[in-house]
Amino acid sequence: MSQRPTHQLFDAYFTQAAMRDVFSDSGRLQGMLDFEAALARAEAAVGLIPKDAVAPIEAACRAEAYDLAELQQAIVSSGNSAIPLVKALGREIKRTSPEAERYVHMGATSQDVMDTGLVLQVRAALALLEDGLAALADALAKQAQRYVDTPLAGRTWLQHATPVTLGMKIAGWLGAINRHRQRLAELKPRVLVLQFGGASGTLAALGDKAMPVAEALAKELDLTLPDQPWHTQRDRLVEAASVCGMIVGSLGKLGRDLSLLMQTEAAEVFEPAGQGRGGSSTMPHKRNPVSAAVLISAATRIPNLVATMFAAMPQEHERSLGLWHAEWDTLPDIFCLTSGALEQALLVAEGLEVDAERMRTNLELTHGLVLAEAVSITLSQRVGREQAHQLVEQCCRRAVEQKCHLREALGQNETVTAELSADELDHLLDPAHYLGQARTWVERACAEHHSLTSAR
């Protein structure tokens, strides 16, 4: 059969190949055809259609049997993908069994086919995201433990603050991924449900066989039967989109941090190197953060796509005009962009390159000022908080004016040296001695990761 031309030059960069397969045209068709095959089996199981009608229907439910270009053109007139597909399905069945063709799609409506087919795609998509998040969490946990005691400058408002550790920073990324793994597990029972309501949601066409068919259909597809059809209640899909938005927001934060740490002026942490990776068309020396760019790009694009899903929620009556249609490409795009960001984040996390010596050098850029708090807190226990703060502030000002190290300025202040010995000052001005609970945060994030992994 003829295939639609592709226009996805950037797909390999922004989308995981497996996720693109899930939401490809053939993947979309196969989801709807899986619904039709399962519907035939369910209706035969409760005696609504002859059992010998099932095999011809199932045999025709193969996406590769249909002309995508022809269906594409038919959608222009029909307004959705199910109408022309069901017609084509009927013709395909009729070639081998005119009798079976009479029973295809019985009692269902187009939205039943499309929404349930979409749910089947979402199930596959969520499995890919779960695997990606688990792999990313594992890589981050290993890196957090590896750099648990590696000090670097904490930065607030893009300025040096007090020392942290690289392990603590990575543990922050890991903690967010842990929470997203929990969110995905929690939403699956709400999202992975059958859509089956017929013309207006009553299943009136199936008479007293309606509930038996619905129950059998849900079982066939391994989906939950919800309390009622949800044709114009879109909260389930919006929840899935929202969680994807949060995942990519956290990945964007990782990408933003990494790109800043890769800046020439910082040069502390880098994406993995590779032949031609991050190069420039004109500057041979460049090493650009190409994976971080994907993470930041996805975090920029997806919020607007999620907003479209929210905007499409107030759907009219029992079937929506236009708002439902707005979801069709939006949700797949959200999943595809999320998968691509996850893939790039995993590549980075597994191959992270760290320059611990540069971190130590950068910690000294302010000549000890990043540890002024440590001195002030210890000194406050000797002379009181307000006086200690004023003394250290004066020494900081002197260090800046004289372009000397804070240790020297403190050593020149008689009030300070009367309270703090030289050894105490040396200790207080060593970043390794002012890391607080950084190790604890790493241990807690890694413990949560291992708990989630054990529970899978």
Side-chain angles (χ1 to χ4, degrees), residues 80 90 124 152 174 184 221 223 285 360 390:
N80 70 51
L152 81 162
L174 173 60
L184 282 187
L221 294 171
L223 297 173
H285 72 282
R360 173 70 71 164
Q390 291 176 349

Side-chain angles (χ1 to χ4, degrees), residues 348-370:
V348 165
E350 290 180 333
L352 209 61
E353 296 182 12
V354 174
D355 189 338
E357 185 58 37
R358 180 59 179 251
M359 291 178 183
R360 173 70 71 164
T361 298
N362 286 347
L363 271 169
E364 290 298 323
L365 287 176
T366 60
H367 305 298
L369 294 182
V370 294

